[in-house]
Amino acid sequence: MAKKHGEGSNRPQGFATRAIHLGYDPMDENGALTPPIYMTSTYAFESAEAGGELFRGERKGYIYGRNRNPTQNILEERIASLEGGESGLALASGMGAISAMCWSLLEAGDEIVIDHTLYGNSFALFTHGLTKFGITVHAVDLTDLANLDKVLTKKTKLVYFETPANPNLRVIDIAVVSERAHAAGALAVVDNTFCTPALQRPLEHGADLVLHSATKYLGGHGDLLAGLVAGPHELVHRIRQHGLRYLTGATISPMTAFLVMRGIKTLELRMERHSNSAAAIADMLAAHPAVAWVAYPFHDGFDQVAVARKQMTMGGGLVSFELNGGYDAGMAFMNGVELVTRAVSLGDTETLVQHPASMTHAAYTPEERASHGISEGLVRLSVGLENLEDLLTDMEAGLDAAMASRAAAE
Ligand code: 3LM
């Protein structure tokens, strides 16, 4: 009998090979090299009895498109494998993934702990959304474990954080926080959007669930919105059956699932290039007289560089910095660049720059931003895949504009 595609060795396949091939055999689909996009909302039952068996879970197969589709399923198998989890789930957006997780795993009376630096709308979901439904939310700085110990109680169901965190790239020790959460009977949930499994695999460090905005590096081309979850079968199944099926209905379209898979095929290569360019830009910024400080996880002067190097293989594609002259200088920089595009989001082939205080983190109050390490002058750069020399030239133009604006103000 002919060997099935990808069979033939007991050695586990590498990351890029799984990102390209896992869960799909062209011979099952008329030899089509890439997985078909199953554009269907519902599925025919072989017989009236078979329909009932599917609903009762006595027969395997597809029922309806809101929670399962064959194109989506290949993507789900791939993210599970790349993150090292038993199961995966794909949803319509990162926010869809986070909210489906919360609605599935929490109930009134529960408490949760979140790190105090999160993507603005995640922070809003926790502090303005969940709190309306009887859930107590403690927002603390998880880089200091004493803060976690102060708020963990018997009612704590989960500890949630991003590392590196959006927008200032603070790094949280996944192993240590997960261990503390487990000791209190809580789950550790990590938003791994900024690293992707190519650079960091939180489940290997003890986290229980990993979430993604696949809109960013996983999709990789700024042309879609999607969310992903990976972790143990029991938790992921609950999020599919409750959070996706009837609590949010945040279904990924089959076309988008296909595009995310296309992005993931080149993920490892892209993350390497994003990281190398971002590290070079962080070095350039750190040495520049217009710059007050730079945050980059692998930069030697970075506060949590040791933790970053323990759990990440490269520094990632984001660089955050504050210019001398604060807010006004930041605005002048953003208006002074030409190649770099002024836009929110991140992880695209294009280099993007944005101002968290007025854009992605406008959901925080000014007081919250001040106490949560999001300064008013902070500029966030998502380094793309353009030629580094062109990016450095454009960054110099932005820095010149920042210095000119500061000189004019004095
Ligand atoms: C942004 N971030 O520019 P979607 N988790 C993290 C994120 O950064 C994001 C999400 C979840 C940005 C989006 S802001 C108007 C644009 C760490 C999104 C949410 O629902 O797929 O956008 O993911 O920082």
Side-chain angles (χ1 to χ4, degrees):
M1 213 175 82
K3 267 185 192 163
K4 282 269 254 185
H5 193 74
E7 276 183 1
S9 157
N10 290 329
R11 184 177 54 78
Q13 291 181 325
F15 186 94
T17 306
R18 286 177 285 131
I20 294 167
H21 292 283
L22 190 123
Y24 180 65
D25 187 335
M27 290 308 139
D28 292 341
E29 297 286 356
N30 303 306
L33 179 70
T34 59
I37 303 170
Y38 280 84
M39 294 301 285
T40 187
S41 56
T42 196
Y43 303 86
F45 306 139
E46 205 174 295
S47 65
E49 292 76 13
E53 285 164 20
L54 280 162
F55 268 86
R56 290 192 297 275
E58 295 161 11
R59 173 190 276 260
K60 271 197 173 324
Y62 295 91
I63 298 176
Y64 186 61
R66 195 182 318 103
N67 55 347
R68 258 162 52 82
N69 171 284
T71 315
Q72 171 189 349
N73 284 167
I74 304 169
L75 169 61
E76 290 170 343
E77 280 187 47
R78 285 194 187 162
I79 193 63
S81 168
L82 298 178
E83 284 287 9
E86 281 174 5
S87 284
L89 178 62
L91 302 98
S93 66
M95 288 311 299
I98 301 165
S99 56
M101 181 278 293
C102 289
W103 303 137
S104 306
L105 305 185
L106 300 173
E107 56 189 44
D110 287 346
E111 297 190 8
I112 69 167
V113 180
I114 60 169
D115 181 56
H116 72 178
T117 313
L118 296 178
Y119 164 57
N121 285 318
S122 303
F123 185 75
L125 161 67
F126 290 115
T127 57
H128 305 314
L130 291 186
T131 47
K132 289 204 299 187
F133 299 93
I135 294 163
T136 303
V137 180
H138 302 279
V140 298
D141 176 355
L142 288 178
T143 60
D144 181 352
L145 287 177
N147 296 326
L148 176 60
D149 292 339
K150 268 185 228 152
V151 293
L152 280 173
T153 74
K154 283 200 184 73
K155 291 183 179 169
T156 312
K157 282 286 160 58
L158 56 95
V159 178
Y160 182 97
F161 56 99
E162 297 169 1
T163 182
N166 190 354
N168 51 19
L169 309 177
R170 290 166 57 258
V171 169
I172 292 162
D173 191 321
I174 302 169
V176 169
V177 171
S178 301
E179 197 184 302
R180 288 285 224 285
H182 295 160
L187 299 172
V189 181
V190 178
D191 180 331
N192 198 27
T193 298
F194 276 25
C195 274
T196 83
L199 303 185
Q200 170 177 276
R201 288 185 286 280
L203 301 177
E204 290 177 2
H205 298 283
D208 299 282
L209 270 178
V210 181
L211 306 181
H212 285 280
S213 169
T215 313
K216 319 301 180 200
Y217 292 105
L218 295 166
H221 296 77
D223 52 10
L224 60 87
L225 282 114
L228 291 169
V229 179
H233 177 72
E234 190 270 326
L235 292 178
V236 175
H237 183 70
R238 262 162 71 193
I239 301 171
R240 184 193 303 279
Q241 289 305 329
H242 304 182
L244 174 57
R245 183 162 63 117
Y246 60 71
L247 292 167
T248 66
T251 305
I252 192 169
S253 93
M255 178 73 194
T256 303
F258 173 86
L259 287 173
V260 177
M261 279 197 275
R262 185 167 73 166
I264 288 177
K265 287 183 185 189
T266 55
L267 180 68
E268 195 178 46
L269 271 177
R270 288 187 290 107
M271 291 315 289
E272 199 180 317
R273 168 101 167 204
H274 283 297
S275 298
N276 285 333
S277 294
I281 288 175
D283 284 346
M284 179 273 241
L285 286 170
H288 200 284
V291 178
W293 52 263
V294 179
Y296 185 68
F298 270 33
H299 197 263
D300 284 334
F302 187 66
D303 275 355
Q304 296 105 20
V305 65
V307 184
R309 287 186 185 273
K310 184 178 79 165
Q311 61 196 22
M312 298 163 64
T313 53
M314 296 185 88
L318 285 139
V319 183
S320 291
F321 56 97
E322 170 114 14
L323 297 167
N324 292 318
Y327 175 86
D328 291 336
M331 289 290 142
F333 171 85
M334 286 180 58
N335 287 322
V337 287
E338 275 182 18
L339 175 62
V340 174
T341 305
R342 288 172 290 276
V344 294
S345 205
L346 55 110
D348 299 337
T349 51
E350 294 79 1
T351 297
L352 307 179
V353 68
Q354 68 105 10
H355 174 242
S358 64
M359 298 173 186
T360 52
H361 291 69
Y364 282 70
T365 63
E367 295 72 31
E368 282 167 342
R369 283 197 296 273
S371 66
H372 298 205
I374 305 163
S375 61
E376 296 299 305
L378 185 76
V379 173
R380 190 192 75 188
L381 189 75
S382 168
V383 178
L385 301 178
E386 300 94 338
N387 290 101
L388 177 60
E389 295 70 26
D390 296 328
L391 291 176
L392 290 171
T393 304
D394 200 43
M395 294 289 293
E396 289 285 358
L399 294 170
D400 286 348
M403 290 211 289
S405 105
R406 192 160 178 237
E410 276 171 2

